[in-house]
Amino acid sequence: MTLNYEVIHGLDFTNEEIGACLMRGGLLSLELEFSKRCNLKCIYCYASAGSAMDNELGLPEIKDIIDQAQELGAKKIILLGGGEPLMYEGLEEVVEYIRSKGLQQSVFTNGMLLTEDLARFMFRHKVSVVIKNNSNIPEVQDALAGVKGAYNKIKQGLEYLLTAGYPERDCQLGIQTVICRQNIKEIPDMWIWARERDIIPYFEIITTQGRAKEHRELQVSVNEIRDVFERLEKIDETRFGHKWSPHPTIASFTCKRHLYSCLVNSQGNIQPCTGIDMPVGNIRTERLADIMKRSPVIQKLRNIYSNIEGECKSCEFAFDCYGCRGNAYQATGNYLASDPACWLHKKVKKGGAKKEEAPQPQSAGDAREYNVVSCKEG
C-alpha cells in the first residue's frame, strides 16, 4: 500500500486540476473550523484555542458552507476544528453530511476523545484522520499540550484508530507534529516510527502566531530545521524509497493550497489559510463565491507565482514552491513576502525561475482573462 500524506490535507491535486480550478475561480478543497473550544492548551496553538467564542457557526450554517464549497468544485473538506473537532456536538452529523455529498474528508484531532465506537464510525465513513502527536516522551508531550496525562490519552486514541482498521487507502492515518526545541532530537525516530506503520508523518515548522508568540522557548534556528529536513529526506530515500527536496514548511511536500483552497473559521470569517489569519469576508453576509471573486488577497494569492516578492521570486524552485505564506505573513506582515524560514534563498538561477511548470489556467486566453480579475483594495 502506497500512502501519500498529501491526500490527508487535500494537497494531492494535479497541476491540471489546479489549473482548471484557477480558470473557473473555484475550489478543490475547503478547510473548516467548528469552534475554538478545546480540551488542551497547546503552547504552540495557532488559534489560542480553549473556550468557545461568541456567535460561532451553527450546524445549518456549516452544512450550507459545505454546499457552497461543492458548488465551487470542492472535492474535499478538511475539518480542522479551530479547537478540538471531537468536542463539537454535531460532528457525526457533519461527517455523515459530507459523505452523503460524495466528498472526501479529513479531520485533524488530538485524539483524546476517541472511543472504539467513534473510531469505527470514522472508518466506516471513510474519514482520514490526523492525530496531533508531538513527542514519544510523556513529559514532553504533556508539556507541549499544556495538560497532564495528554500523552496517554492520545496514544489510546491512536490505538482505537488502528484497531478500527486504519490506515488503508480510503481511510488514511497521519500524525501531525510541530518541530520545536523540545522535540527536535526525537523527530527522525518519530518519522521512522510512522513510516514503518504506513502512518503519514505530517511534520511542520511552527508559525509564530497564537500562543507560540508567548513561548519563544519553542523556537529552533533555520539551520537546525534545514538539518532535520535533510536528515528526514535521507531517511526517506534510503529506507522507504521516497524522494523529495527539503524545503519549508512541512517535510516532504509543497504547499499549493492558496491556488485552490481557503478556510472558514468558527465565526464564519473567510481567510486564505490558518497562517494568514486576516478575514477577507464573512459567510453570513456574502456567498463564498462572491467573497473569493472580490477579495484582492485571494486573487493575489491565486496568482502567487507572479505576485511573490523578494528572493522567493527568483529561487530555482519557484516553479513549484512559493514558501509558506503564513510564515511570511506572521513574520513580516506581508503575505506576498519571501518566506524568512527558508534556507534556499541563495540557490537562485540567473534570469529567474522556470515558471512554465507552475499550475496555470488551461489556455493563453484563459490566462489573460484570469490575470485581470482583481478588485480595488478595500
Side-chain angles (χ1 to χ4, degrees), residues 6-13 28-31 69 73-78 103-106:
E6 296 180 341
V7 176
I8 284 266
H9 210 299
L11 298 166
D12 60 321
F13 301 109
L28 290 175
S29 68
L30 179 79
E31 300 179 17
K75 299 179 179 182
K76 298 179 182 179
I77 306 297
I78 317 300
L103 299 170
Q104 298 176 48
Q105 55 188 314
S106 302

Side-chain angles (χ1 to χ4, degrees), residues 327-347:
N327 192 56
Y329 178 67
Q330 295 297 329
T332 71
N334 177 8
Y335 60 90
L336 299 176
S338 290
D339 184 351
C342 187
W343 53 86
L344 298 172
H345 288 158
K346 293 181 180 179
K347 294 184 178 180

Side-chain angles (χ1 to χ4, degrees), residues 40-103:
L40 293 181
K41 298 184 183 299
C42 297
I43 63 175
Y44 59 86
C45 180
Y46 76 88
S48 298
S51 299
M53 300 184 73
D54 294 334
N55 201 28
E56 292 187 325
L57 295 169
L59 187 56
E61 292 177 302
I62 288 174
K63 289 183 177 180
D64 182 59
I65 292 165
I66 293 167
D67 290 343
Q68 290 187 50
Q70 187 173 40
E71 289 170 7
L72 287 166
K75 299 179 179 182
K76 298 179 182 179
I77 306 297
I78 317 300
L79 304 175
L80 298 178
E84 170 48 48
L86 301 192
M87 296 186 77
Y88 183 68
E89 293 180 359
L91 173 67
E92 292 189 16
E93 189 169 344
V94 172
V95 167
E96 289 173 339
Y97 189 72
I98 293 171
R99 179 73 171 160
S100 73
K101 305 284 287 183
L103 299 170

Side-chain angles (χ1 to χ4, degrees), residues 39-40 110-115 131-143 145 147-161:
N39 54 346
L40 293 181
N110 60 46
M112 291 175 60
L113 297 178
L114 280 167
T115 63
I131 295 285
K132 298 175 183 177
N133 180 44
N134 291 300
S135 177
N136 286 331
I137 301 171
E139 295 78 11
V140 175
Q141 174 64 70
D142 288 0
V147 172
K148 190 174 179 59
Y151 172 87
N152 290 330
K153 291 182 179 179
I154 291 170
K155 290 300 182 186
Q156 180 63 75
L158 187 57
E159 286 300 318
Y160 285 142
L161 292 169

Side-chain angles (χ1 to χ4, degrees), residues 194-372:
R195 285 290 199 212
E196 288 179 341
R197 291 161 177 78
D198 284 333
I199 295 173
I200 298 165
Y202 193 87
F203 288 20
E204 61 185 324
I205 302 171
I206 292 177
T207 302
T208 307
Q209 63 185 119
R211 288 199 193 101
K213 290 182 178 179
E214 305 165 13
H215 292 276
R216 299 291 176 172
E217 72 274 14
L218 292 164
Q219 294 182 357
V220 292
S221 70
V222 171
N223 287 340
E224 288 174 300
I225 292 290
R226 178 201 63 204
D227 291 346
V228 77
F229 271 47
E230 289 179 351
R231 186 171 176 187
L232 296 180
E233 186 273 335
K234 188 173 183 179
I235 289 170
D236 257 3
E237 182 174 1
T238 58
R239 295 188 59 164
F240 302 103
H242 302 307
K243 291 186 178 182
W244 47 276
S245 297
H247 58 79
T249 289
I250 303 175
S252 82
F253 95 104
T254 297
C255 173
K256 297 180 182 178
R257 62 164 58 91
H258 300 98
L259 304 178
Y260 57 77
S261 187
C262 66
L263 180 147
V264 183
N265 77 7
S266 64
Q267 293 185 305
N269 290 321
I270 310 300
Q271 58 191 69
C273 65
T274 56
I276 307 177
D277 51 359
M278 68 166 75
V280 300
N282 191 285
I283 203 72
R284 286 169 165 157
T285 58
E286 289 183 84
R287 300 283 295 175
L288 180 56
D290 294 333
I291 294 171
M292 291 176 56
K293 185 176 181 179
R294 68 152 183 82
S295 167
V297 175
I298 296 293
Q299 293 302 322
K300 287 178 180 178
L301 286 168
R302 291 261 163 147
N303 286 283
I304 185 62
Y305 295 109
S306 298
N307 293 323
I308 198 166
E309 300 171 4
E311 293 172 307
C312 277
K313 195 176 188 73
S314 57
C315 175
E316 67 174 301
F317 299 107
F319 68 92
D320 189 55
C321 169
Y322 53 76
C324 178
R325 297 299 87 217
N327 192 56
Y329 178 67
Q330 295 297 329
T332 71
N334 177 8
Y335 60 90
L336 299 176
S338 290
D339 184 351
C342 187
W343 53 86
L344 298 172
H345 288 158
K346 293 181 180 179
K347 294 184 178 180
V348 295
K349 289 184 176 180
K350 191 174 181 180
K354 299 183 295 181
K355 298 287 183 167
E356 68 275 13
E357 296 184 49
Q360 297 291 335
Q362 297 299 290
S363 73
D366 294 332
R368 287 193 298 271
E369 180 181 356
Y370 182 80
N371 287 331
V372 298

